[in-house]
Amino acid sequence: MNTATPAAPAAPRAFAGHPKGLYYLAFTEAWERFSYYGMTALVVLYMVNQLLLPGHVEHVVGLAGVRAALESVHGPLSAQALASQLFGLYTGFVYFTPLLGGLIADRWIGQRNAVVIGALAMSGGHLAMAFEQSFLLALLLLVVGSGFLKGNISAQVGALYPRDDESRRTRGFAIFSMAINFGAVVGPLLCGALAQAFGWHVGFGIAAVFMLAGLATYLAGYRYLPARVERRKQEGGPLSRAEWRVVAALLVVMVISIFQSVSYYQLANVLPVWIQAHVALDAGAFTIPIPWYQSIDPLFSILGVPVLFWLWARQAARGREPGDLGKIGLGAWLAAASNLFLVVPIIVADGGPVHPFWPFLYCASMGIAFLYYWPTLLALVSRAAPAKINATMMGLAFMCLFFANNLIGWIGTFYERMTPAQFWSLHAAIGATGGILVLLLGKRLTQVFAGHADQPLRPSAQTLEVER
């Protein structure tokens, strides 16, 4: 039986009435997200334009074996197709390993030690990214590091507050989530500008510097943070038939959400390659760095929060606010429409360059689509899942992103076999499939969840500003 020590008592209050530890955690996460999104905005273009080309690809330790394994399943892979597969595997496992990292922290080493291990591994990964030979090692270290850091640092945020202080805990998560989005916006801007001006490895190097800054920030606040997060002991016994129905309904909703996630996440994989080949990026003497487009989606996820709160409040006053399934469906339709914002100008341009406004509109619309479907899914799972397996069901929700990112890697291998209009139309259809499934199944699923509407939300799902 786990004999976890209780969480540390809340630290003395600091700014705005929150524990000091919150600000150390928020700044740590801001630095970490800065490095993660900055690197992610560069890595596909780096692979396509340099690493996987003759004269470079031979230097990558272990890549020949990985390529042979992938080609044994998918057939011969071009540089772009291989880059897509590697990116999909990397981003997919980033969402898988936190399940293992949380288990290790809970059972053996505690959340505080786990975060330090994760930050060290991610720092090493970003440093290894600066050398061609260690590229695969870099991805492995980043995946392992994310597994130790990602879930455990979020768990520490909740542990800073007394159990009955739900209101202040929720505001604390909102502050923490704003740090996530800040890093997601600024990382691609700075790393992209430096990579364009001074080369790929400078862009990767600044990501490593900021990851080290995150580790230093965490260590500076070490004494204010709980060493081990106490887990609530849930009521024992098997699930009832009604609870199993809820679990089954939640699994159906998670499967539906994979469609809009595939439609959404391609913006980090194939979109940069398409922009490079088909968008007029020169604005006078200035050339727009392609990674800057990766900042638009999180920026509009920030700006969209108060707008959606206002819109939903007006709709609620008229009795017309969509329910959880309705919002998830709208997210799917918005993801589908976002892809059409690329299809239409491609057809109109008829082989000519596309104006840079169109990929901007695509990314901005995707940021709003994300707000509709992903935080709503987390809130639904948090509220409706039986208490005995609530945390497990939240973990399964993130597994949707594991499957979605692996799928975008595979689907991205078809990019060179299709016209751009066909490729983005395919993703519009994938997103629309999620919307159609909500229309077909939403009423029945809503009826299953109706009896669980009074279960309170867990703090991690009470804010729209959640991590993508």
Side-chain angles (χ1 to χ4, degrees), residues 38 118 186 201 246 322 396:
V186 178
H201 297 307
V246 171
L396 285 175

Side-chain angles (χ1 to χ4, degrees), residues 308-363:
L308 287 186
F309 278 166
W310 172 82
L311 174 62
W312 292 344
R314 285 181 60 88
Q315 290 175 328
R318 300 175 183 176
R320 299 178 62 183
E321 181 184 2
D324 290 339
L325 270 296
K327 289 173 183 174
I328 291 171
L330 282 169
W333 292 115
L334 282 171
S338 300
N339 282 280
L340 294 179
F341 291 148
L342 299 183
V343 174
V344 172
I346 289 171
I347 294 174
V348 172
D350 194 23
V354 172
H355 193 279
F357 169 76
W358 290 105
F360 173 90
L361 182 60
Y362 163 89
C363 293

